[in-house]
Amino acid sequence: MAKRHGLEFWRAHLAAWRRSDLTQRKYCANQGLDKKAFYRWRRKEREAVASAKSALALIPVSIVPISVGAAVTGSVVRLHNSPGGWSAPWLAGLLRQPP
């Protein structure tokens, strides 16, 4: 029975093949790899990349002027421009405040 290799094994070989100047067929022959398995793992990788790309979405963002000050909401800190500006010590003090 043929030896089965996992994801990391095939990722390493796919990366090495890309760095080589060889065709898939020649790379497999040089490395002693099963061509069908190599093609199958390359297809899986392409499908995973395509799936990840289709999951990405652009979200519209609008930037609006906000009043002077700062607000802490959960773990989100929103800093607004103020005439005196803000400093790192001021921000550290703000973050130390109890919720």
Side-chain angles (χ1 to χ4, degrees):
M1 182 173 213
K3 184 176 180 180
R4 302 189 91 173
H5 300 286
L7 177 65
E8 293 307 315
F9 174 87
W10 288 107
R11 277 187 179 164
H13 274 291
L14 289 168
W17 164 71
R18 281 189 201 87
R19 289 188 304 270
S20 77
D21 291 329
L22 301 174
T23 64
Q24 293 177 51
R25 183 175 295 201
K26 285 183 181 180
Y27 181 84
C28 289
N30 287 351
Q31 298 297 317
L33 299 173
D34 179 64
K35 288 183 301 191
K36 287 182 181 181
F38 185 91
Y39 298 150
R40 186 172 47 252
W41 279 94
R42 182 157 184 248
R43 186 184 72 244
K44 285 181 181 184
E45 183 183 55
R46 279 195 316 262
E47 289 170 355
V49 168
S51 176
K53 283 183 180 178
S54 69
L56 298 177
L58 296 177
I59 301 171
V61 175
S62 60
I63 300 173
V64 295
I66 303 177
S67 63
V68 175
V72 178
T73 309
S75 61
V76 176
V77 176
R78 292 186 181 95
L79 299 173
H80 308 286
N81 292 332
S82 63
W86 54 271
S87 65
W90 175 85
L91 180 57
L94 177 67
L95 295 174
R96 281 193 212 103
Q97 297 293 323

